[in-house]
Each structure stands twice: as C-alpha cells, then as structure tokens.
Amino acid sequence: HGLSLVGMFRRKNKNSLIRRVKKSLTIVKDAAKNSQWNFENKVFLLRAELASISGKNDEAVEMYEKAIEGAKRSKFIHEEGLACELAGFHHSRSGDKVNAMRNFYHARMCYG
C-alpha cells in the first residue's frame, strides 16, 4: 500500500500522500516489532522511498541498500528484486546511470 502511494506521489506530486505513506510506514514498523525477519526489509524500502521523494539522496541510497540486504537475508528474492528496481530508478533520477544499471541488472537476476 505504501509503495503504491509513493508511485502516485511521483506521478501526481500530491504532498498529502506523504502523510499516508508515513502512516503505512508506521503500520509496517509495528508489524516488524512482531516479526523482524518478515518486515524489516519492507520498513527500509518505505524509508528509502520517502527519502527519495524528499530529495535526501544519501539516506535513500543507504535505506535501499539495507532493504536489499534485508530481503536477501530473509530469502525474499522477489522483494530483493523490487528493492533493486526501485533503487535503480532512484539512481537514474539522480543521474547515477552506473549504479542505476547495476541495480536494474541485479533486479533482473532476482526476477529470473
């Protein structure tokens, strides 16, 4: 839910959606308290997307990396791919084509 809101924000540029994304992040953080293994990577991914839309490049990159590693550790290969894909889009928007392509390739490998 939170990731789809970020996509809507990017297309429609509605600041009110940020509050809804933050609410989704709070829900996922609460779930992570009960099952860190299952939700930690999702928390990092939502935090990465929020940082990305807020223009906090360094924080976004760090959170994407943590989301990718968390998904990998939990063996959630498709979520690892999603995190790589979103990181790739972030790098592309910020002009870092080398890391964008590296992340897109990693995503492709995850998706099979």
Side-chain angles (χ1 to χ4, degrees), residues 22-97:
K22 287 181 179 180
K23 183 177 179 181
S24 293
L25 178 57
T26 299
I27 292 167
V28 176
K29 280 181 177 179
D30 286 343
K33 291 176 187 173
N34 295 316
S35 181
Q36 184 177 359
W37 171 82
N38 194 28
F39 291 99
E40 181 181 56
N41 68 302
K42 297 163 185 69
V43 169
F44 287 132
L45 190 53
L46 279 171
R47 288 179 62 191
E49 288 287 277
L50 276 172
S52 181
I53 63 176
S54 300
K56 299 175 181 174
N57 186 57
D58 292 342
E59 181 181 342
V61 169
E62 179 185 354
M63 292 298 109
Y64 284 121
E65 289 173 3
K66 288 183 176 186
I68 292 164
E69 286 304 311
K72 189 178 210 167
R73 243 187 338 272
S74 296
K75 304 209 184 316
F76 297 150
I77 188 123
H78 290 95
E79 291 181 20
E80 180 182 348
L82 176 62
C84 289
E85 184 177 350
L86 293 174
F89 286 125
H90 170 78
H91 286 296
S92 182
R93 283 189 302 275
S94 65
D96 184 353
K97 303 301 181 197

